[in-house]
Amino acid sequence: MYKRIDHIGIAVRSITDALKVYRDGLGLTLVRVEVVADQCTRVAILAVGESRIELLEATAEDSPIGKFIAKRGEGLHHICFQVTNLVEEIARLKAAGLRLIDEAPRCGAEGRLVAFLHPSTAAGVLVELSQVSAQATNSSE
Amino acid sequence: MYKRIDHIGIAVRSITDALKVYRDGLGLTLVRVEVVADQCTRVAILAVGESRIELLEATAEDSPIGKFIAKRGEGLHHICFQVTNLVEEIARLKAAGLRLIDEAPRCGAEGRLVAFLHPSTAAGVLVELSQVSAQATNSSE
């Protein structure tokens, strides 16, 4: 069910500064920079193997990333696994007793469907699940 | 130079409890559990795509993982990239002005060579670099 690590999200104060490390220093390839307006977040996406690194910069202090940095400083924020059918996976995880932030898929960047597990259910880790194609959610209908 | 995310390290209080989530809940495949004696750490390795998840449990309170959990609680601890030639990569990163914890490769699990960058140089993230085969370090000799 879990095909790969889709991406690792890193909360950063400044994408400009973080790119000096992750792109210019480590040499990862910058795919693009985009704004996720409803999360008040600017995202720089870098490619590595079958996965990506997402540098997450708050565009407002009371955004999720802004609050995270105010509380914990910069650093690893979440991990995202790619799944094939998010509706089925949410149902499976709920039946297994895991605590979800999203009990139904919601729209993420790039037309993806996403859902988050609560960190309290996953050893303190904010876990995101992502499905590339929305069509697959209806595969069992 | 960076071929893939080798693994994500997650600091956990109890591997037994964390496996209930990551193996039994999410369904990741447990590869094995091993002890890294010099780090006072027990490690459960789970496979996902070309990468792994490492659940890290302290076997002593004053170990790196023990101190991390005492300070920050459970959660994402570090990210490791696989490199082809660690000696060359360390030299390249030093020349680029990045701060390294290890200025020469040291031995990690499974006969690997590893080196860590300091979190202060990488937006608060503890970054590990890992080379699978030790022989490659001598490729330029």
PDB file of all heavy atoms in Angstrom, chain B residues 40-67:
ATOM      1  N   CYS B  40      24.358   3.177  21.974  1.00  0.00           N
ATOM      2  CA  CYS B  40      23.343   2.779  22.977  1.00  0.00           C
ATOM      3  C   CYS B  40      21.945   2.893  22.382  1.00  0.00           C
ATOM      4  O   CYS B  40      21.041   3.512  22.974  1.00  0.00           O
ATOM      5  CB  CYS B  40      23.460   3.604  24.245  1.00  0.00           C
ATOM      6  SG  CYS B  40      25.010   3.355  25.110  1.00  0.00           S
ATOM      7  N   THR B  41      21.778   2.343  21.192  1.00  0.00           N
ATOM      8  CA  THR B  41      20.518   2.475  20.463  1.00  0.00           C
ATOM      9  C   THR B  41      20.082   1.128  19.891  1.00  0.00           C
ATOM     10  O   THR B  41      20.903   0.366  19.386  1.00  0.00           O
ATOM     11  CB  THR B  41      20.670   3.479  19.290  1.00  0.00           C
ATOM     12  OG1 THR B  41      21.135   4.720  19.807  1.00  0.00           O
ATOM     13  CG2 THR B  41      19.354   3.696  18.567  1.00  0.00           C
ATOM     14  N   ARG B  42      18.783   0.870  19.990  1.00  0.00           N
ATOM     15  CA  ARG B  42      18.199  -0.272  19.313  1.00  0.00           C
ATOM     16  C   ARG B  42      17.436   0.276  18.112  1.00  0.00           C
ATOM     17  O   ARG B  42      16.736   1.291  18.234  1.00  0.00           O
ATOM     18  CB  ARG B  42      17.256  -1.018  20.267  1.00  0.00           C
ATOM     19  CG  ARG B  42      17.096  -2.498  19.983  1.00  0.00           C
ATOM     20  CD  ARG B  42      16.613  -3.244  21.231  1.00  0.00           C
ATOM     21  NE  ARG B  42      15.253  -2.874  21.576  1.00  0.00           N
ATOM     22  CZ  ARG B  42      14.179  -3.581  21.211  1.00  0.00           C
ATOM     23  NH1 ARG B  42      14.318  -4.701  20.513  1.00  0.00           N
ATOM     24  NH2 ARG B  42      12.973  -3.202  21.559  1.00  0.00           N
ATOM     25  N   VAL B  43      17.587  -0.375  16.969  1.00  0.00           N
ATOM     26  CA  VAL B  43      17.048   0.160  15.719  1.00  0.00           C
ATOM     27  C   VAL B  43      16.150  -0.872  15.051  1.00  0.00           C
ATOM     28  O   VAL B  43      16.581  -2.008  14.826  1.00  0.00           O
ATOM     29  CB  VAL B  43      18.187   0.538  14.733  1.00  0.00           C
ATOM     30  CG1 VAL B  43      17.615   1.203  13.485  1.00  0.00           C
ATOM     31  CG2 VAL B  43      19.209   1.432  15.405  1.00  0.00           C
ATOM     32  N   ALA B  44      14.926  -0.478  14.745  1.00  0.00           N
ATOM     33  CA  ALA B  44      14.038  -1.304  13.920  1.00  0.00           C
ATOM     34  C   ALA B  44      13.997  -0.688  12.529  1.00  0.00           C
ATOM     35  O   ALA B  44      13.666   0.490  12.377  1.00  0.00           O
ATOM     36  CB  ALA B  44      12.638  -1.363  14.515  1.00  0.00           C
ATOM     37  N   ILE B  45      14.361  -1.491  11.527  1.00  0.00           N
ATOM     38  CA  ILE B  45      14.454  -1.002  10.153  1.00  0.00           C
ATOM     39  C   ILE B  45      13.254  -1.498   9.356  1.00  0.00           C
ATOM     40  O   ILE B  45      13.002  -2.701   9.284  1.00  0.00           O
ATOM     41  CB  ILE B  45      15.766  -1.482   9.502  1.00  0.00           C
ATOM     42  CG1 ILE B  45      16.964  -0.948  10.302  1.00  0.00           C
ATOM     43  CG2 ILE B  45      15.837  -1.059   8.039  1.00  0.00           C
ATOM     44  CD1 ILE B  45      18.298  -1.540   9.881  1.00  0.00           C
ATOM     45  N   LEU B  46      12.517  -0.549   8.768  1.00  0.00           N
ATOM     46  CA  LEU B  46      11.347  -0.888   7.952  1.00  0.00           C
ATOM     47  C   LEU B  46      11.570  -0.381   6.530  1.00  0.00           C
ATOM     48  O   LEU B  46      12.178   0.673   6.331  1.00  0.00           O
ATOM     49  CB  LEU B  46      10.083  -0.254   8.531  1.00  0.00           C
ATOM     50  CG  LEU B  46       9.758  -0.659   9.980  1.00  0.00           C
ATOM     51  CD1 LEU B  46       9.739   0.572  10.867  1.00  0.00           C
ATOM     52  CD2 LEU B  46       8.443  -1.399  10.070  1.00  0.00           C
ATOM     53  N   ALA B  47      11.081  -1.141   5.560  1.00  0.00           N
ATOM     54  CA  ALA B  47      11.302  -0.787   4.154  1.00  0.00           C
ATOM     55  C   ALA B  47      10.109  -0.048   3.574  1.00  0.00           C
ATOM     56  O   ALA B  47       8.957  -0.387   3.872  1.00  0.00           O
ATOM     57  CB  ALA B  47      11.558  -2.052   3.342  1.00  0.00           C
ATOM     58  N   VAL B  48      10.384   0.962   2.741  1.00  0.00           N
ATOM     59  CA  VAL B  48       9.336   1.634   1.963  1.00  0.00           C
ATOM     60  C   VAL B  48       9.978   2.174   0.685  1.00  0.00           C
ATOM     61  O   VAL B  48      10.841   3.048   0.743  1.00  0.00           O
ATOM     62  CB  VAL B  48       8.627   2.738   2.785  1.00  0.00           C
ATOM     63  CG1 VAL B  48       9.589   3.745   3.349  1.00  0.00           C
ATOM     64  CG2 VAL B  48       7.554   3.416   1.937  1.00  0.00           C
ATOM     65  N   GLY B  49       9.591   1.606  -0.455  1.00  0.00           N
ATOM     66  CA  GLY B  49      10.187   2.002  -1.730  1.00  0.00           C
ATOM     67  C   GLY B  49      11.688   1.788  -1.692  1.00  0.00           C
ATOM     68  O   GLY B  49      12.165   0.755  -1.208  1.00  0.00           O
ATOM     69  N   GLU B  50      12.447   2.772  -2.181  1.00  0.00           N
ATOM     70  CA  GLU B  50      13.908   2.666  -2.190  1.00  0.00           C
ATOM     71  C   GLU B  50      14.515   3.123  -0.865  1.00  0.00           C
ATOM     72  O   GLU B  50      15.739   3.162  -0.733  1.00  0.00           O
ATOM     73  CB  GLU B  50      14.473   3.501  -3.340  1.00  0.00           C
ATOM     74  CG  GLU B  50      14.238   5.001  -3.155  1.00  0.00           C
ATOM     75  CD  GLU B  50      14.717   5.849  -4.331  1.00  0.00           C
ATOM     76  OE1 GLU B  50      15.019   5.287  -5.406  1.00  0.00           O
ATOM     77  OE2 GLU B  50      14.770   7.083  -4.159  1.00  0.00           O
ATOM     78  N   SER B  51      13.676   3.490   0.097  1.00  0.00           N
ATOM     79  CA  SER B  51      14.143   4.041   1.369  1.00  0.00           C
ATOM     80  C   SER B  51      13.750   3.146   2.543  1.00  0.00           C
ATOM     81  O   SER B  51      13.114   2.113   2.368  1.00  0.00           O
ATOM     82  CB  SER B  51      13.564   5.451   1.575  1.00  0.00           C
ATOM     83  OG  SER B  51      13.881   6.295   0.497  1.00  0.00           O
ATOM     84  N   ARG B  52      14.138   3.578   3.726  1.00  0.00           N
ATOM     85  CA  ARG B  52      13.793   2.853   4.949  1.00  0.00           C
ATOM     86  C   ARG B  52      13.367   3.845   6.029  1.00  0.00           C
ATOM     87  O   ARG B  52      13.752   5.012   6.003  1.00  0.00           O
ATOM     88  CB  ARG B  52      15.005   2.059   5.442  1.00  0.00           C
ATOM     89  CG  ARG B  52      15.487   0.997   4.464  1.00  0.00           C
ATOM     90  CD  ARG B  52      16.760   0.356   4.926  1.00  0.00           C
ATOM     91  NE  ARG B  52      17.820   1.341   5.066  1.00  0.00           N
ATOM     92  CZ  ARG B  52      18.963   1.134   5.699  1.00  0.00           C
ATOM     93  NH1 ARG B  52      19.209  -0.023   6.262  1.00  0.00           N
ATOM     94  NH2 ARG B  52      19.871   2.096   5.789  1.00  0.00           N
ATOM     95  N   ILE B  53      12.601   3.347   6.950  1.00  0.00           N
ATOM     96  CA  ILE B  53      12.290   4.076   8.174  1.00  0.00           C
ATOM     97  C   ILE B  53      13.051   3.383   9.293  1.00  0.00           C
ATOM     98  O   ILE B  53      12.993   2.159   9.419  1.00  0.00           O
ATOM     99  CB  ILE B  53      10.776   4.046   8.478  1.00  0.00           C
ATOM    100  CG1 ILE B  53       9.969   4.654   7.336  1.00  0.00           C
ATOM    101  CG2 ILE B  53      10.487   4.731   9.812  1.00  0.00           C
ATOM    102  CD1 ILE B  53      10.161   6.141   7.139  1.00  0.00           C
ATOM    103  N   GLU B  54      13.804   4.148  10.086  1.00  0.00           N
ATOM    104  CA  GLU B  54      14.509   3.563  11.219  1.00  0.00           C
ATOM    105  C   GLU B  54      13.891   4.091  12.516  1.00  0.00           C
ATOM    106  O   GLU B  54      13.929   5.301  12.788  1.00  0.00           O
ATOM    107  CB  GLU B  54      16.001   3.905  11.162  1.00  0.00           C
ATOM    108  CG  GLU B  54      16.702   3.236   9.987  1.00  0.00           C
ATOM    109  CD  GLU B  54      18.231   3.306  10.049  1.00  0.00           C
ATOM    110  OE1 GLU B  54      18.765   3.928  10.998  1.00  0.00           O
ATOM    111  OE2 GLU B  54      18.877   2.753   9.149  1.00  0.00           O
ATOM    112  N   LEU B  55      13.331   3.171  13.294  1.00  0.00           N
ATOM    113  CA  LEU B  55      12.800   3.518  14.620  1.00  0.00           C
ATOM    114  C   LEU B  55      13.934   3.363  15.615  1.00  0.00           C
ATOM    115  O   LEU B  55      14.531   2.283  15.727  1.00  0.00           O
ATOM    116  CB  LEU B  55      11.630   2.589  14.972  1.00  0.00           C
ATOM    117  CG  LEU B  55      10.471   2.564  13.964  1.00  0.00           C
ATOM    118  CD1 LEU B  55       9.437   1.512  14.372  1.00  0.00           C
ATOM    119  CD2 LEU B  55       9.820   3.935  13.836  1.00  0.00           C
ATOM    120  N   LEU B  56      14.260   4.429  16.321  1.00  0.00           N
ATOM    121  CA  LEU B  56      15.453   4.479  17.176  1.00  0.00           C
ATOM    122  C   LEU B  56      15.041   4.559  18.638  1.00  0.00           C
ATOM    123  O   LEU B  56      14.409   5.528  19.069  1.00  0.00           O
ATOM    124  CB  LEU B  56      16.293   5.712  16.813  1.00  0.00           C
ATOM    125  CG  LEU B  56      16.606   5.895  15.321  1.00  0.00           C
ATOM    126  CD1 LEU B  56      17.148   7.288  15.049  1.00  0.00           C
ATOM    127  CD2 LEU B  56      17.591   4.831  14.849  1.00  0.00           C
ATOM    128  N   GLU B  57      15.419   3.534  19.390  1.00  0.00           N
ATOM    129  CA  GLU B  57      15.085   3.471  20.818  1.00  0.00           C
ATOM    130  C   GLU B  57      16.368   3.502  21.628  1.00  0.00           C
ATOM    131  O   GLU B  57      17.297   2.733  21.356  1.00  0.00           O
ATOM    132  CB  GLU B  57      14.308   2.177  21.089  1.00  0.00           C
ATOM    133  CG  GLU B  57      13.956   1.946  22.544  1.00  0.00           C
ATOM    134  CD  GLU B  57      13.436   0.528  22.781  1.00  0.00           C
ATOM    135  OE1 GLU B  57      12.240   0.283  22.640  1.00  0.00           O
ATOM    136  OE2 GLU B  57      14.278  -0.358  23.096  1.00  0.00           O
ATOM    137  N   ALA B  58      16.432   4.382  22.627  1.00  0.00           N
ATOM    138  CA  ALA B  58      17.631   4.472  23.470  1.00  0.00           C
ATOM    139  C   ALA B  58      17.705   3.271  24.407  1.00  0.00           C
ATOM    140  O   ALA B  58      16.694   2.833  24.951  1.00  0.00           O
ATOM    141  CB  ALA B  58      17.598   5.762  24.270  1.00  0.00           C
ATOM    142  N   THR B  59      18.916   2.748  24.587  1.00  0.00           N
ATOM    143  CA  THR B  59      19.117   1.704  25.598  1.00  0.00           C
ATOM    144  C   THR B  59      19.787   2.301  26.840  1.00  0.00           C
ATOM    145  O   THR B  59      20.035   1.587  27.806  1.00  0.00           O
ATOM    146  CB  THR B  59      19.966   0.549  25.042  1.00  0.00           C
ATOM    147  OG1 THR B  59      21.244   1.075  24.645  1.00  0.00           O
ATOM    148  CG2 THR B  59      19.299  -0.106  23.850  1.00  0.00           C
ATOM    149  N   ALA B  60      20.064   3.625  26.792  1.00  0.00           N
ATOM    150  CA  ALA B  60      20.610   4.338  27.959  1.00  0.00           C
ATOM    151  C   ALA B  60      20.111   5.780  27.891  1.00  0.00           C
ATOM    152  O   ALA B  60      20.030   6.366  26.805  1.00  0.00           O
ATOM    153  CB  ALA B  60      22.140   4.308  27.962  1.00  0.00           C
ATOM    154  N   GLU B  61      19.768   6.344  29.034  1.00  0.00           N
ATOM    155  CA  GLU B  61      19.181   7.686  29.042  1.00  0.00           C
ATOM    156  C   GLU B  61      20.141   8.759  28.534  1.00  0.00           C
ATOM    157  O   GLU B  61      19.713   9.759  27.971  1.00  0.00           O
ATOM    158  CB  GLU B  61      18.712   8.047  30.464  1.00  0.00           C
ATOM    159  CG  GLU B  61      17.444   7.311  30.883  1.00  0.00           C
ATOM    160  CD  GLU B  61      16.939   7.777  32.237  1.00  0.00           C
ATOM    161  OE1 GLU B  61      17.479   8.764  32.768  1.00  0.00           O
ATOM    162  OE2 GLU B  61      16.007   7.134  32.758  1.00  0.00           O
ATOM    163  N   ASP B  62      21.448   8.554  28.751  1.00  0.00           N
ATOM    164  CA  ASP B  62      22.404   9.585  28.322  1.00  0.00           C
ATOM    165  C   ASP B  62      22.946   9.324  26.914  1.00  0.00           C
ATOM    166  O   ASP B  62      23.967   9.872  26.520  1.00  0.00           O
ATOM    167  CB  ASP B  62      23.565   9.689  29.320  1.00  0.00           C
ATOM    168  CG  ASP B  62      24.359   8.397  29.399  1.00  0.00           C
ATOM    169  OD1 ASP B  62      23.876   7.372  28.864  1.00  0.00           O
ATOM    170  OD2 ASP B  62      25.454   8.412  29.983  1.00  0.00           O
ATOM    171  N   SER B  63      22.253   8.487  26.158  1.00  0.00           N
ATOM    172  CA  SER B  63      22.611   8.262  24.757  1.00  0.00           C
ATOM    173  C   SER B  63      22.050   9.402  23.906  1.00  0.00           C
ATOM    174  O   SER B  63      21.199  10.164  24.372  1.00  0.00           O
ATOM    175  CB  SER B  63      22.017   6.933  24.284  1.00  0.00           C
ATOM    176  OG  SER B  63      20.598   7.005  24.351  1.00  0.00           O
ATOM    177  N   PRO B  64      22.504   9.533  22.659  1.00  0.00           N
ATOM    178  CA  PRO B  64      21.974  10.612  21.803  1.00  0.00           C
ATOM    179  C   PRO B  64      20.445  10.576  21.685  1.00  0.00           C
ATOM    180  O   PRO B  64      19.797  11.625  21.788  1.00  0.00           O
ATOM    181  CB  PRO B  64      22.653  10.340  20.452  1.00  0.00           C
ATOM    182  CG  PRO B  64      23.938   9.657  20.807  1.00  0.00           C
ATOM    183  CD  PRO B  64      23.616   8.804  22.011  1.00  0.00           C
ATOM    184  N   ILE B  65      19.877   9.400  21.481  1.00  0.00           N
ATOM    185  CA  ILE B  65      18.416   9.311  21.343  1.00  0.00           C
ATOM    186  C   ILE B  65      17.732   9.565  22.688  1.00  0.00           C
ATOM    187  O   ILE B  65      16.691  10.230  22.755  1.00  0.00           O
ATOM    188  CB  ILE B  65      18.007   7.933  20.769  1.00  0.00           C
ATOM    189  CG1 ILE B  65      18.561   7.757  19.345  1.00  0.00           C
ATOM    190  CG2 ILE B  65      16.483   7.771  20.772  1.00  0.00           C
ATOM    191  CD1 ILE B  65      18.093   8.808  18.354  1.00  0.00           C
ATOM    192  N   GLY B  66      18.320   9.066  23.768  1.00  0.00           N
ATOM    193  CA  GLY B  66      17.765   9.323  25.098  1.00  0.00           C
ATOM    194  C   GLY B  66      17.698  10.806  25.409  1.00  0.00           C
ATOM    195  O   GLY B  66      16.687  11.324  25.902  1.00  0.00           O
ATOM    196  N   LYS B  67      18.782  11.515  25.077  1.00  0.00           N
ATOM    197  CA  LYS B  67      18.808  12.968  25.324  1.00  0.00           C
ATOM    198  C   LYS B  67      17.820  13.711  24.428  1.00  0.00           C
ATOM    199  O   LYS B  67      17.174  14.663  24.851  1.00  0.00           O
ATOM    200  CB  LYS B  67      20.226  13.503  25.077  1.00  0.00           C
ATOM    201  CG  LYS B  67      21.256  13.048  26.108  1.00  0.00           C
ATOM    202  CD  LYS B  67      22.624  13.612  25.745  1.00  0.00           C
ATOM    203  CE  LYS B  67      23.729  13.023  26.585  1.00  0.00           C
ATOM    204  NZ  LYS B  67      25.072  13.383  26.062  1.00  0.00           N
TER     205      LYS B  67
END
